[in-house]
Short mmCIF file of all heavy atoms in Angstrom, two decimals:
data_model
loop_
_atom_site.label_atom_id
_atom_site.label_comp_id
_atom_site.label_asym_id
_atom_site.label_seq_id
_atom_site.Cartn_x
_atom_site.Cartn_y
_atom_site.Cartn_z
N GLU V 57 -144.94 40.37 -147.09
CA GLU V 57 -145.98 41.46 -147.13
C GLU V 57 -147.12 40.99 -148.08
O GLU V 57 -146.84 40.21 -149.02
CB GLU V 57 -145.53 42.79 -147.54
CG GLU V 57 -144.92 42.83 -148.97
CD GLU V 57 -144.63 44.19 -149.33
OE1 GLU V 57 -145.11 45.16 -148.87
OE2 GLU V 57 -143.82 44.36 -150.28
N LEU V 58 -148.37 41.37 -147.73
CA LEU V 58 -149.49 41.02 -148.63
C LEU V 58 -149.41 42.03 -149.74
O LEU V 58 -149.37 43.23 -149.61
CB LEU V 58 -150.85 41.21 -147.80
CG LEU V 58 -152.05 41.06 -148.57
CD1 LEU V 58 -152.16 39.52 -149.03
CD2 LEU V 58 -153.32 41.39 -147.72
N VAL V 59 -149.53 41.55 -150.98
CA VAL V 59 -149.48 42.26 -152.14
C VAL V 59 -150.84 42.55 -152.71
O VAL V 59 -151.25 43.64 -153.07
CB VAL V 59 -148.66 41.61 -153.28
CG1 VAL V 59 -148.68 42.42 -154.64
CG2 VAL V 59 -147.28 41.47 -152.81
N ALA V 60 -151.68 41.46 -152.75
CA ALA V 60 -153.02 41.50 -153.31
C ALA V 60 -153.94 40.41 -152.73
O ALA V 60 -153.42 39.38 -152.38
CB ALA V 60 -153.07 41.45 -154.76
N ALA V 61 -155.15 40.74 -152.62
CA ALA V 61 -156.13 39.67 -152.10
C ALA V 61 -157.43 39.77 -152.97
O ALA V 61 -157.80 40.82 -153.47
CB ALA V 61 -156.46 39.98 -150.69
N LEU V 62 -158.01 38.51 -153.12
CA LEU V 62 -159.23 38.42 -153.91
C LEU V 62 -160.14 37.53 -153.18
O LEU V 62 -159.85 36.29 -152.94
CB LEU V 62 -158.96 37.87 -155.32
CG LEU V 62 -160.11 37.59 -156.19
CD1 LEU V 62 -160.89 38.92 -156.59
CD2 LEU V 62 -159.57 36.95 -157.52
N SER V 63 -161.41 37.95 -152.83
CA SER V 63 -162.41 37.12 -152.25
C SER V 63 -163.15 36.30 -153.20
O SER V 63 -163.07 36.51 -154.50
CB SER V 63 -163.37 37.94 -151.40
OG SER V 63 -164.24 38.63 -152.25
N SER V 64 -163.91 35.29 -152.73
CA SER V 64 -164.65 34.47 -153.70
C SER V 64 -165.80 35.28 -154.30
O SER V 64 -166.33 34.89 -155.45
CB SER V 64 -165.23 33.31 -152.92
OG SER V 64 -166.12 33.80 -151.82
N SER V 65 -166.16 36.45 -153.73
CA SER V 65 -167.21 37.27 -154.34
C SER V 65 -166.69 38.31 -155.28
O SER V 65 -167.40 39.02 -155.96
CB SER V 65 -167.96 38.01 -153.21
OG SER V 65 -167.17 38.85 -152.58
N GLY V 66 -165.29 38.39 -155.42
CA GLY V 66 -164.68 39.30 -156.38
C GLY V 66 -164.16 40.54 -155.78
O GLY V 66 -163.66 41.39 -156.50
N THR V 67 -164.30 40.76 -154.46
CA THR V 67 -163.64 41.93 -153.77
C THR V 67 -162.16 41.88 -153.81
O THR V 67 -161.58 40.80 -153.52
CB THR V 67 -164.19 42.07 -152.42
OG1 THR V 67 -165.61 42.12 -152.37
CG2 THR V 67 -163.58 43.25 -151.70
N THR V 68 -161.43 43.00 -154.22
CA THR V 68 -160.00 43.02 -154.26
C THR V 68 -159.41 44.00 -153.33
O THR V 68 -160.17 45.04 -153.02
CB THR V 68 -159.60 43.23 -155.69
OG1 THR V 68 -159.99 44.55 -156.12
CG2 THR V 68 -160.07 42.21 -156.56
N ARG V 69 -158.24 43.85 -152.91
CA ARG V 69 -157.47 44.87 -152.21
C ARG V 69 -156.00 44.69 -152.54
O ARG V 69 -155.55 43.59 -152.78
CB ARG V 69 -157.76 44.84 -150.71
CG ARG V 69 -157.18 43.65 -149.94
CD ARG V 69 -157.50 43.79 -148.46
NE ARG V 69 -156.79 42.71 -147.72
CZ ARG V 69 -157.37 41.62 -147.40
NH1 ARG V 69 -158.57 41.29 -147.89
NH2 ARG V 69 -156.72 40.65 -146.71
N TYR V 70 -155.31 45.86 -152.57
CA TYR V 70 -153.87 45.85 -152.95
C TYR V 70 -153.06 46.70 -151.99
O TYR V 70 -153.47 47.58 -151.33
CB TYR V 70 -153.68 46.54 -154.26
CG TYR V 70 -154.41 45.86 -155.45
CD1 TYR V 70 -155.75 46.12 -155.76
CD2 TYR V 70 -153.90 44.78 -156.14
CE1 TYR V 70 -156.41 45.49 -156.74
CE2 TYR V 70 -154.52 44.11 -157.18
CZ TYR V 70 -155.81 44.44 -157.46
OH TYR V 70 -156.43 43.84 -158.51
N ALA V 71 -151.80 46.32 -151.84
CA ALA V 71 -150.85 47.10 -151.20
C ALA V 71 -150.70 48.42 -151.84
O ALA V 71 -150.72 48.53 -153.10
CB ALA V 71 -149.48 46.42 -151.09
N ASP V 72 -150.38 49.47 -151.10
CA ASP V 72 -150.33 50.77 -151.72
C ASP V 72 -149.20 50.89 -152.73
O ASP V 72 -149.26 51.57 -153.69
CB ASP V 72 -150.04 51.88 -150.58
CG ASP V 72 -151.29 52.21 -149.75
OD1 ASP V 72 -152.32 51.81 -150.27
OD2 ASP V 72 -151.03 52.77 -148.71
N SER V 73 -148.06 50.08 -152.46
CA SER V 73 -146.99 50.18 -153.40
C SER V 73 -147.21 49.60 -154.82
O SER V 73 -146.45 49.81 -155.73
CB SER V 73 -145.82 49.36 -152.69
OG SER V 73 -146.14 47.99 -152.47
N VAL V 74 -148.32 48.74 -154.97
CA VAL V 74 -148.65 48.25 -156.26
C VAL V 74 -149.81 48.58 -156.85
O VAL V 74 -150.20 48.23 -158.00
CB VAL V 74 -148.60 46.65 -156.15
CG1 VAL V 74 -147.23 46.16 -155.48
CG2 VAL V 74 -149.73 46.11 -155.34
N LYS V 75 -150.68 49.45 -156.15
CA LYS V 75 -151.92 49.96 -156.76
C LYS V 75 -151.72 50.60 -158.13
O LYS V 75 -150.77 51.43 -158.28
CB LYS V 75 -152.55 50.95 -155.78
CG LYS V 75 -153.21 50.25 -154.65
CD LYS V 75 -153.84 51.24 -153.70
CE LYS V 75 -154.48 50.59 -152.43
NZ LYS V 75 -155.09 51.53 -151.51
N GLY V 76 -152.54 50.30 -159.09
CA GLY V 76 -152.44 50.90 -160.39
C GLY V 76 -151.49 50.16 -161.30
O GLY V 76 -151.48 50.40 -162.51
N ARG V 77 -150.67 49.18 -160.74
CA ARG V 77 -149.75 48.48 -161.54
C ARG V 77 -150.03 47.01 -161.55
O ARG V 77 -149.83 46.36 -162.59
CB ARG V 77 -148.30 48.71 -161.02
CG ARG V 77 -147.84 50.17 -161.07
CD ARG V 77 -146.44 50.27 -160.71
NE ARG V 77 -146.08 49.72 -159.36
CZ ARG V 77 -145.22 48.76 -159.03
NH1 ARG V 77 -144.60 48.17 -160.03
NH2 ARG V 77 -145.00 48.43 -157.80
N PHE V 78 -150.46 46.37 -160.44
CA PHE V 78 -150.84 45.00 -160.35
C PHE V 78 -152.25 44.71 -160.36
O PHE V 78 -153.00 45.58 -159.84
CB PHE V 78 -150.12 44.42 -159.09
CG PHE V 78 -148.69 44.35 -159.06
CD1 PHE V 78 -147.92 45.00 -159.92
CD2 PHE V 78 -148.05 43.61 -158.01
CE1 PHE V 78 -146.51 44.92 -159.95
CE2 PHE V 78 -146.70 43.62 -157.89
CZ PHE V 78 -145.87 44.28 -158.89
N THR V 79 -152.69 43.57 -160.95
CA THR V 79 -154.04 43.30 -160.94
C THR V 79 -154.20 41.71 -160.58
O THR V 79 -153.56 40.84 -161.20
CB THR V 79 -154.75 43.47 -162.32
OG1 THR V 79 -154.55 44.82 -162.67
CG2 THR V 79 -156.19 43.09 -162.30
N ILE V 80 -155.07 41.42 -159.59
CA ILE V 80 -155.26 40.01 -159.19
C ILE V 80 -156.57 39.55 -159.86
O ILE V 80 -157.54 40.27 -159.93
CB ILE V 80 -155.29 39.89 -157.62
CG1 ILE V 80 -155.42 38.41 -157.19
CG2 ILE V 80 -156.49 40.63 -157.03
CD1 ILE V 80 -155.17 38.31 -155.80
N SER V 81 -156.54 38.34 -160.31
CA SER V 81 -157.82 37.73 -160.86
C SER V 81 -157.83 36.30 -160.67
O SER V 81 -156.80 35.71 -160.21
CB SER V 81 -157.88 38.17 -162.44
OG SER V 81 -156.76 37.56 -163.15
N ARG V 82 -158.91 35.65 -161.07
CA ARG V 82 -158.97 34.24 -160.94
C ARG V 82 -159.88 33.62 -162.05
O ARG V 82 -160.79 34.27 -162.56
CB ARG V 82 -159.55 33.81 -159.59
CG ARG V 82 -161.04 34.19 -159.32
CD ARG V 82 -161.41 34.19 -157.91
NE ARG V 82 -161.32 32.92 -157.27
CZ ARG V 82 -161.40 32.74 -155.96
NH1 ARG V 82 -161.55 33.69 -155.17
NH2 ARG V 82 -161.34 31.42 -155.44
N ASP V 83 -159.62 32.32 -162.33
CA ASP V 83 -160.42 31.60 -163.25
C ASP V 83 -160.91 30.31 -162.49
O ASP V 83 -160.15 29.42 -162.22
CB ASP V 83 -159.64 31.16 -164.50
CG ASP V 83 -160.41 30.43 -165.55
OD1 ASP V 83 -161.38 29.73 -165.19
OD2 ASP V 83 -160.11 30.58 -166.72
N ASN V 84 -162.17 30.38 -162.08
CA ASN V 84 -162.70 29.31 -161.21
C ASN V 84 -162.67 27.97 -161.93
O ASN V 84 -162.44 26.94 -161.29
CB ASN V 84 -164.07 29.66 -160.66
CG ASN V 84 -164.11 30.88 -159.68
OD1 ASN V 84 -163.13 31.01 -158.93
ND2 ASN V 84 -165.18 31.59 -159.69
#
Side-chain angles (χ1 to χ4, degrees):
E57 65 173 336
L58 178 65
V59 176
L62 176 64
S63 73
S64 60
S65 63
T67 301
T68 61
R69 67 177 189 271
Y70 299 91
D72 289 342
S73 59
V74 307
K75 286 181 179 178
R77 300 189 298 119
F78 291 9
T79 303
I80 187 172
S81 62
R82 68 198 297 170
D83 185 327
N84 290 329

